[in-house]
Amino acid sequence: MSTVPEIKLVFDEPKQRVKPPRHFADLDPQGRKDLAVELGIPAFRANQAAVHFFTHHNDDPETWSDIPKDMRALMAEKFTPKLMTLVRSVTADGGRTRKDLWKLHDGVLVESVLMSYSDRTTVCISSQAGCGMDCPFCATGQGGLTRNLTAGEITAQVVAAARVCDAGELPGGPTRLSNVVFMGMGEPMANYNAVMRTIRNITAPQPDGLGIGARSVTLSTVGLVSGIEKLIGEDIPVTLAISLHTPDDELRDTLVPINSRWKVKEVLEAADKYADKTGRRYSIEYAMIKDINDQAWRSDLLGRLLKNRNAHVNLIPLNPTPGSKWTASRPEDEAEFVRILETYGVPVTVRDTRGREIDGACGQLAAAEVTSEV
Ligand code: SAH
């Protein structure tokens, strides 16, 4: 009898991820009250905590003077556990743009960017650590998805930004955080529930949320039609932004790979339905990439696609990622692109390039940090 050598199968241990601590911002207002009761704390204390956190942007129960001293440590542990620590902040534009790099409890890095303008202050937040959408021009996409953020972790970025505004750390003194855009790392529609909980935390009036109007919140997506359709069923008219980047499926299959699942036509039809339901104009995000998607014929095609739609085009000069062969369009091509779109009556703006020198808004600071750690 021949002996068959034993084949030993060796599997890698699945990576053990420690879940982020539960935070009361992960819960809806009733859930927060239930949590209080579970902890043996009267339910109304959940409302007091919410006022401290969402209205006063204070996440340190030790300073909550209306909470009995012997209750504060428990609330610090169970209501507002520390979810992230600031690794560093970098500023640009005379301090009017500030990018914060955060380390989460498991060492994962995410970033948020605060931008102050004459009429508003906007924070750009991350909804995932990394991103699974694989768009080849985006630095975040190159690293793949690490994990979804919790509602607590996404909300904490907003509350931290509001605190910076209150404290007068931006030029011009104390101000109010007025806008939130989901244009940092990640695809918000791929982390739907946590993003919706966050949107409710942002938009709910005191005491349950920050009281920022839904119109001042922008959700930017690659065009996950299933997510857009779900959003239509919610009662929150946030501003929807679609990262289209080209009007034709052939190129979009490469630039935004999820296009192989939902085509340009389907994405625009879903956005139209959203606009019909909410009465809100949506934005089309379009990174202008030299000789790739910036030809006059593409502008013409985009104009024809959008002329009867409730949409606005936001052109973004490409912010080249390190090592990329792609670069931003020539000014004359950009101007021609705008001109053609305007002949169709399509409203178009060119986004300013805030924070370029600090790698604004494209996952590059987190990427640089990881590289230097390695
Ligand atoms: N995943 C979402 C939101 C994150 S990115 C989305 O894709 O919409 C926010 C916007 O920045 C998107 O329109 C994205 O396509 C764009 N973007 C990503 N990398 C860029 C780059 N290198 N230059 C210019 N815009 C970029």
Side-chain angles (χ1 to χ4, degrees):
M1 204 174 87
S2 65
T3 46
V4 181
E6 195 187 336
I7 299 173
K8 211 172 168 190
L9 292 176
V10 180
F11 294 102
D12 278 345
E13 284 281 309
K15 265 210 180 118
Q16 288 291 325
R17 284 212 172 277
V18 189
K19 272 182 132 184
R22 185 174 64 176
H23 191 281
F24 87 143
D26 293 329
L27 307 170
D28 64 15
Q30 185 56 47
R32 295 169 200 160
K33 291 195 182 98
D34 295 346
L35 172 63
V37 172
E38 248 173 61
L39 298 171
I41 294 173
F44 76 93
R45 299 287 181 199
N47 273 352
Q48 288 179 306
V51 170
H52 285 295
F53 186 70
F54 292 117
T55 305
H56 302 302
H57 316 129
N58 177 338
D59 61 358
D60 180 8
E62 291 302 334
T63 66
W64 296 354
S65 56
D66 56 349
I67 302 290
K69 284 212 165 82
D70 60 357
M71 224 179 249
R72 293 182 193 170
L74 182 65
M75 289 179 90
E77 186 193 337
K78 301 292 187 188
F79 272 59
T80 56
K82 201 170 176 56
L83 297 178
M84 55 189 208
T85 47
L86 189 62
V87 177
R88 72 173 132 108
S89 292
V90 277
T91 58
D93 309 310
R96 289 177 303 123
T97 304
R98 164 182 166 146
K99 181 150 165 164
D100 289 330
L101 179 70
W102 303 101
K103 188 174 254 178
L104 307 181
H105 81 290
D106 51 359
V108 164
L109 298 169
V110 293
E111 61 197 13
S112 56
V113 184
L114 188 56
M115 291 158 286
S116 90
Y117 302 91
S118 55
D119 59 338
R120 67 191 191 281
T121 306
T122 301
V123 68
C124 173
I125 55 172
S126 296
S127 57
Q128 297 181 309
C131 185
M133 294 298 120
D134 205 22
C135 302
F137 57 90
C138 173
T140 307
Q142 303 323 293
L145 176 66
T146 303
R147 70 168 170 87
N148 278 335
L149 302 189
T150 63
E153 289 168 327
I154 310 169
T155 304
Q157 297 168 55
V158 181
V159 170
R163 200 182 304 130
V164 169
C165 293
D166 299 343
E169 290 178 32
L170 298 172
T175 183
R176 206 178 61 85
L177 179 70
S178 57
N179 294 69
V180 180
V181 298
F182 285 84
M183 291 191 182
M185 301 167 80
E187 168 50 42
M189 289 295 193
N191 186 14
Y192 189 86
N193 291 339
V195 165
M196 276 320 297
R197 176 73 259 142
T198 303
I199 290 175
R200 292 185 191 281
N201 292 343
I202 296 167
T203 57
Q206 188 185 337
D208 296 330
L210 283 104
I212 295 175
R215 288 162 175 264
S216 306
V217 177
T218 300
L219 191 155
S220 179
T221 176
V222 288
L224 298 189
V225 167
S226 55
I228 299 171
E229 281 174 349
K230 250 195 202 165
L231 191 66
I232 292 169
E234 314 273 355
D235 53 354
I236 305 184
V238 294
T239 301
L240 183 66
I242 304 287
S243 295
L244 197 70
H245 302 309
T246 189
D248 57 303
D249 285 318
E250 198 186 344
L251 177 59
R252 196 168 191 269
D253 283 347
T254 306
L255 292 184
V256 185
I258 196 71
N259 197 67
S260 56
R261 172 69 181 81
W262 287 291
K263 299 293 173 198
V264 170
K265 184 168 178 286
E266 291 169 273
V267 175
L268 292 180
E269 282 171 3
D272 290 342
K273 272 200 253 166
Y274 185 75
D276 287 346
K277 160 85 191 295
T278 58
R280 306 275 300 123
R281 189 165 83 172
Y282 58 92
S283 332
I284 295 292
E285 306 295 299
Y286 201 110
M288 292 291 283
I289 315 175
K290 184 178 151 192
D291 297 331
I292 300 289
N293 64 351
D294 62 356
Q295 302 84 352
W297 72 264
R298 282 204 159 88
S299 184
D300 194 71
L301 183 56
L302 186 63
R304 270 187 280 143
L305 264 183
L306 298 182
K307 67 177 176 194
N308 292 320
R309 300 189 128 101
N310 195 7
H312 157 270
V313 176
N314 196 5
L315 299 178
I316 320 166
L318 183 81
N319 189 7
T321 58
S324 165
K325 53 185 187 302
W326 288 339
T327 185
S329 300
R330 299 172 198 89
E332 60 271 28
D333 293 340
E334 185 183 278
E336 180 63 359
F337 204 91
V338 169
R339 191 194 64 75
I340 295 170
L341 275 178
E342 284 175 342
T343 63
Y344 287 94
V346 175
V348 49
T349 48
V350 179
R351 190 188 291 173
D352 75 354
T353 50
R354 273 295 179 92
R356 275 289 148 105
E357 66 272 39
I358 56 168
D359 298 329
C362 306
Q364 292 167 354
L365 181 65
E369 193 71 17
V370 169
T371 314
S372 65
E373 277 186 355
V374 170

